[in-house]
Amino acid sequence: MNNPALNLLDKALGLEQQSEAWPLSRRVLVIQDCVETSGSFVLHQLMKRALSSNSSNVIIFVAFSNSFSHYDRILRKLGCNLVTQRDNKRFFFFDMLMLQCTGEKIQNVVLVVGISFFFSDGDEAKTGKGGLILLYEKIRKTICALPKDKKNYVTVMIDDMSLMEVAANGASDYVLDFLHYCHTLTSEFDCSLVLLNHEDIYSSMERPMFILQMEYLADILIKTEPLATGLAADVHGQLTILNKGISDSLESSRNKIHNFHFKVKENGVDYFYPGSRA
Amino acid sequence: MAATKPRSSSFSRNLSAVPSSQTPGVKCGLNGTMFVSSGIPDLDKILGGGFPLGSLVMVMEDAEAPHHMLLLRNFMSQGLVHNQPLFYASPAKDPRAFLGTLPSPSTSKDEKPRGSVPEQEKGLRIAWQYKKYMPENQPNFDSQSNNKQVYCNDFDLRKPLERHYHSAQRVDCVSIQDSTNFIALKDRCATFLAQFPRNDANSSCTGRIAIQSFCALQCEHSNMEWDMLSFIKSMKGMIRSSNAVAVITFPPSLLSLSSSKRWQHLADTLLSVGAIPDEDKELAKLLAGYQDMVGFLNIHKVARINTQVPVILDATTFSIKLHKRRFLVLECINQAPVDGSSGSSYGTSSSCSSGSSKTGTLDF
């Protein structure tokens, strides 16, 4: 039971279960961070976990904030080669750095690394809707094209949602529509959805519809915050994980809050309870 | 893109990146990044080498003081001294006039800021036991200091940059005074950045983009916020795939709170500057060397490209000082020694007893 390879984060996410199915399938994970403490390392951990050799997961990664080489270098240091995984059709990278859903005549270049699709769209694209619909179709097509044994083990990751809002020129409703479409994938293909967003953007809003909707959709909510006492070299921040655990209603202990500190390193992340490190 | 090439081993050395370290003004850093200098030696040291190529640096302005111009001027000058093409956009009517105010690198050795000289001595003193290795290192040292183009110059703020540095073909100046859409600006940036494609074989050419007070004039139109955001986003996307660094300064007080947070998230390196109130007596008592300070520099975020590890600095607030009224230096803020005679209760008691009285308030 006590697998030393599992850290506190894995346990809080329920990855310790010895089951056939990927424990996160049909789940929506929302990671919320702030300017002081980035939460992107959680994404990297999940990527590594999903692409590890003893699982057969497929990742569809929608990147708004960084290029492929950035993730490739990070994951290499974690012991996972994204280039190989991409060649094995287990990792699909959608480079959305330049996606912009506005303008007179929109031309969206969607780069599935290696192959580039180029399409221009007239009417729909004007509204900021077109680009996202195309993106959704892209994701769906990619899942449908997978072989049967892999189709039900897909993880869709989006880094990050606030930039998707910018790409849609502030049309949050379209982004929410997109999210709901993606949410249907979790029931249709048992896929899991991992979304990163920045909490502090919305903290000054009166009615932060967007982040509330995301929190509502989330089965597992992960928050990274700096320590109240400021930055420290040994502790980079604290994680709060709320596991709503809808699918696991048998165990009452499921629905609980985990809270611990972390320190990010090149080859992994240390998780520990406050005060448990000398 | 470098990573699209399939590699057989995870630990293959990127040979093509090595020769580029010889190009002046560019330094190899950790994680396969390359740095260009910010033009302020102390800031380079604090940031661990400078601004990484392909990163977006944002400086949050103080609404009442032009300290961000100090950073911007040194950044631009350093690029021109290194012969790097420059793109400059400002809300002024005639942005080219600003080039006349750029500082010039100091030439004579004795005018160097005091910080650098004792530090070299300290380094030598520590390394005395490695003296047998010194002959190897010494010529290297000399060649570096004799080399006409050092990585980071000390800029004399009182001496204007010689004219031949900003000849027209290398500097692109744009006024953003009355531009209400950013498509034109974006296109100009794109054509500028097209000169520096990111490929490992030829990274000898690097560019710099400096945009001053980006939202200052457009902010009145609240509907422009998303346009500005998407400009910055596409700027970041473009800069990621090119050998260039962009520095954008903006007054956050003019933005809505959530917009300002979005901007901060978009930045790779985030700095802010602040003015020092004149003759703030309480602050003067608190900080050592208050008289020499010009302002404060805060470092909120250090770029982490190709890595997930955050950079934790010893201090995030530095004082900006002018050494000999010429050179910009950054110093850690030191608390002034408590003046024993001024305090009434603490001054009379010894340090020991004052310590014990302090612990009394923290009774567990």
Side-chain angles (χ1 to χ4, degrees):
Chain A
M1 271 316 273
N2 270 332
N3 187 349
L6 288 171
N7 52 39
L8 284 176
L9 176 66
D10 294 336
K11 283 178 190 161
L13 295 180
L15 294 183
E16 82 271 28
Q17 292 161 330
Q18 305 287 325
S19 58
E20 275 292 298
W22 169 241
L24 295 180
S25 75
R26 305 177 70 104
R27 301 283 199 96
V28 179
L29 261 84
V30 172
I31 306 162
Q32 296 183 348
D33 66 1
C34 49
V35 175
E36 295 80 19
T37 314
S38 164
S40 52
F41 71 92
V42 181
L43 273 186
H44 306 145
Q45 298 299 303
L46 288 170
M47 272 159 100
K48 188 202 170 185
R49 184 63 65 189
L51 292 175
S52 68
S53 52
N54 52 13
S55 80
S56 52
N57 275 5
V58 174
I59 291 183
I60 297 175
F61 198 95
V62 185
F64 283 91
S65 64
N66 279 300
S67 56
F68 179 79
S69 64
H70 172 84
Y71 300 105
D72 182 41
R73 287 214 185 234
I74 289 174
L75 265 287
R76 242 167 235 255
K77 284 180 265 192
L78 292 174
C80 172
N81 192 332
L82 288 187
V83 179
T84 320
Q85 302 290 1
R86 198 179 57 191
D87 295 343
N88 293 343
K89 295 253 168 2
R90 285 188 62 194
F91 183 74
F92 295 90
F93 189 84
F94 295 173
D95 190 330
M96 293 289 156
L97 247 62
M98 296 306 287
L99 179 80
Q100 195 51 259
C101 310
T102 46
E104 315 294 290
K105 193 181 175 201
I106 196 113
Q107 290 183 322
N108 293 331
V109 184
V110 180
L111 278 168
V112 177
V113 175
I115 325 153
S116 60
F117 296 86
F118 188 82
F119 36 79
S120 56
D121 201 292
D123 301 330
E124 265 196 312
K126 267 185 194 167
T127 55
K129 200 175 172 185
L132 295 182
I133 288 178
L134 292 173
L135 176 62
Y136 171 72
E137 276 167 9
K138 191 117 233 60
I139 293 171
R140 210 190 131 84
K141 254 185 220 157
T142 313
I143 297 176
C144 289
L146 286 170
K148 269 224 169 79
D149 57 322
K150 283 183 177 169
K151 209 173 266 181
N152 293 336
Y153 296 97
V154 181
T155 305
V156 179
M157 293 186 169
I158 301 177
D159 179 15
D160 58 73
M161 292 307 293
S162 72
L163 288 177
M164 189 184 261
E165 272 185 290
V166 176
N169 212 30
S172 308
D173 289 352
Y174 293 131
V175 182
L176 278 177
D177 283 353
F178 172 84
L179 266 189
H180 286 289
Y181 276 117
C182 283
H183 193 224
T184 60
L185 294 175
T186 61
S187 48
E188 193 180 350
F189 297 104
D190 289 353
C191 86
S192 53
L193 203 57
V194 180
L195 313 166
L196 177 69
N197 207 349
H198 308 301
E199 196 187 8
D200 48 359
I201 291 175
Y202 309 93
S203 57
S204 60
M205 286 185 190
E206 223 167 80
R207 250 176 92 243
M209 270 294 287
F210 188 69
I211 196 97
L212 288 177
Q213 282 277 351
M214 279 183 72
E215 281 175 19
Y216 176 71
L217 279 182
D219 295 307
I220 300 174
L221 197 64
I222 304 173
K223 280 187 192 187
T224 62
E225 292 159 313
L227 293 182
T229 47
L231 293 178
D234 301 332
V235 186
H236 289 163
Q238 68 172 332
L239 270 177
T240 311
I241 298 171
L242 172 68
N243 198 335
K244 292 185 192 164
I246 295 158
S247 62
D248 244 340
S249 52
L250 285 175
E251 288 175 67
S252 54
S253 65
R254 281 274 144 228
N255 188 356
K256 64 177 179 184
I257 294 176
H258 301 257
N259 198 313
F260 43 82
H261 289 171
F262 64 88
K263 182 185 180 182
V264 184
K265 299 186 296 187
E266 290 287 6
N267 61 352
V269 184
D270 285 344
Y271 303 98
F272 44 91
Y273 288 113
S276 68
R277 260 166 59 130
Chain B
M1 232 181 283
T4 47
K5 281 188 283 179
R7 285 179 197 154
S8 50
S9 152
S10 320
F11 295 103
S12 61
R13 188 177 162 78
N14 197 352
L15 287 168
S16 49
V18 176
S20 59
S21 66
Q22 260 88 45
T23 50
V26 181
K27 194 159 91 177
C28 277
L30 289 171
N31 307 311
T33 51
M34 283 193 293
F35 288 119
V36 294
S37 171
S38 63
I40 304 169
D42 291 329
L43 186 59
D44 283 356
K45 229 176 275 167
I46 292 163
L47 295 177
F51 297 144
L53 283 182
S55 75
L56 177 66
V57 181
M58 301 251 238
V59 182
M60 294 196 275
E61 301 172 7
D62 188 306
E64 288 162 359
H67 291 342
H68 57 278
M69 304 295 273
L70 291 171
L71 301 183
L72 210 59
R73 279 202 188 98
N74 278 31
F75 172 75
M76 289 164 70
S77 273
Q78 184 69 73
L80 292 178
V81 168
H82 282 151
N83 219 356
Q84 290 159 347
L86 175 73
F87 180 91
Y88 173 62
S90 109
K93 243 186 199 139
D94 180 19
R96 195 162 277 278
F98 181 71
L99 297 177
T101 68
L102 294 183
S104 163
S106 72
T107 42
S108 55
K109 286 271 183 286
D110 53 348
E111 280 191 7
K112 277 205 157 192
R114 80 216 120 110
S116 59
V117 179
E119 217 159 274
Q120 259 185 356
E121 279 173 4
K122 199 165 63 183
L124 287 177
R125 212 178 301 140
I126 290 165
W128 65 271
Q129 50 183 323
Y130 301 110
K131 251 182 192 152
K132 57 180 172 185
Y133 302 116
M134 285 315 276
E136 280 182 323
N137 290 342
Q138 205 60 56
N140 213 350
F141 253 121
D142 284 346
S143 72
Q144 256 179 14
S145 54
N146 288 341
N147 194 354
K148 211 177 150 201
Q149 286 192 321
V150 289
Y151 173 69
C152 183
N153 292 93
D154 293 308
F155 286 97
D156 186 342
L157 298 185
R158 288 168 132 195
K159 219 161 78 186
L161 193 66
E162 286 161 49
R163 255 200 128 58
H164 69 90
Y165 280 120
H166 41 90
S167 57
Q169 74 267 20
R170 267 188 264 130
V171 188
D172 211 349
C173 289
V174 180
S175 170
I176 48 174
Q177 190 181 34
D178 38 32
S179 70
T180 43
N181 76 34
F182 298 104
I183 294 166
L185 183 62
K186 195 179 121 189
D187 288 345
R188 290 197 67 165
C189 286
T191 45
F192 177 77
L193 286 172
Q195 305 169 57
F196 324 103
R198 171 74 63 96
N199 56 343
D200 284 344
N202 175 31
S203 55
S204 57
C205 200
T206 53
R208 293 182 184 226
I209 291 183
I211 300 180
Q212 181 203 329
S213 306
F214 179 49
C215 66
L217 293 164
Q218 284 81 13
C219 259
E220 305 134 36
H221 319 284
S222 56
N223 54 342
M224 298 288 285
E225 282 196 345
W226 289 104
D227 289 344
M228 290 191 287
L229 270 166
S230 49
F231 171 79
I232 299 174
K233 178 180 168 287
S234 50
M235 182 76 158
K236 190 177 173 182
M238 288 189 291
I239 210 117
R240 272 280 193 279
S241 53
S242 53
N243 269 323
V245 177
V247 174
I248 300 178
T249 72
F250 71 100
S253 49
L254 292 182
L255 290 166
S256 76
L257 223 53
S258 72
S259 256
S260 156
K261 280 285 178 206
R262 277 182 205 272
W263 287 48
Q264 295 174 31
H265 275 288
L266 276 164
D268 290 307
T269 301
L270 182 66
L271 314 171
S272 72
V273 286
I276 285 189
D278 276 339
E279 293 177 34
D280 186 335
K281 282 191 181 138
E282 279 180 33
L283 212 58
K285 230 183 260 173
L286 224 57
L287 303 174
Y290 178 78
Q291 297 80 20
D292 317 326
M293 287 183 194
V294 181
F296 293 122
L297 175 80
N298 270 291
I299 295 166
H300 300 272
K301 212 155 83 165
V302 182
R304 40 173 144 165
I305 293 177
N306 299 339
T307 180
Q308 61 170 355
V309 181
V311 179
I312 307 289
L313 300 167
D314 293 337
T316 52
T317 307
F318 296 87
S319 61
I320 306 172
K321 290 184 182 177
L322 286 181
H323 177 56
K324 289 186 183 167
R325 295 192 168 190
R326 284 163 180 265
F327 304 106
L328 206 58
V329 288
L330 301 176
E331 278 178 10
C332 267
I333 289 180
N334 294 315
Q335 215 169 17
V338 178
D339 192 2
S341 59
S342 67
S344 51
S345 61
Y346 281 123
T348 49
S349 60
S350 70
S351 63
C352 240
S353 62
S354 77
S356 65
S357 71
K358 254 182 198 165
T359 50
T361 57
L362 293 170
D363 213 356
F364 288 100

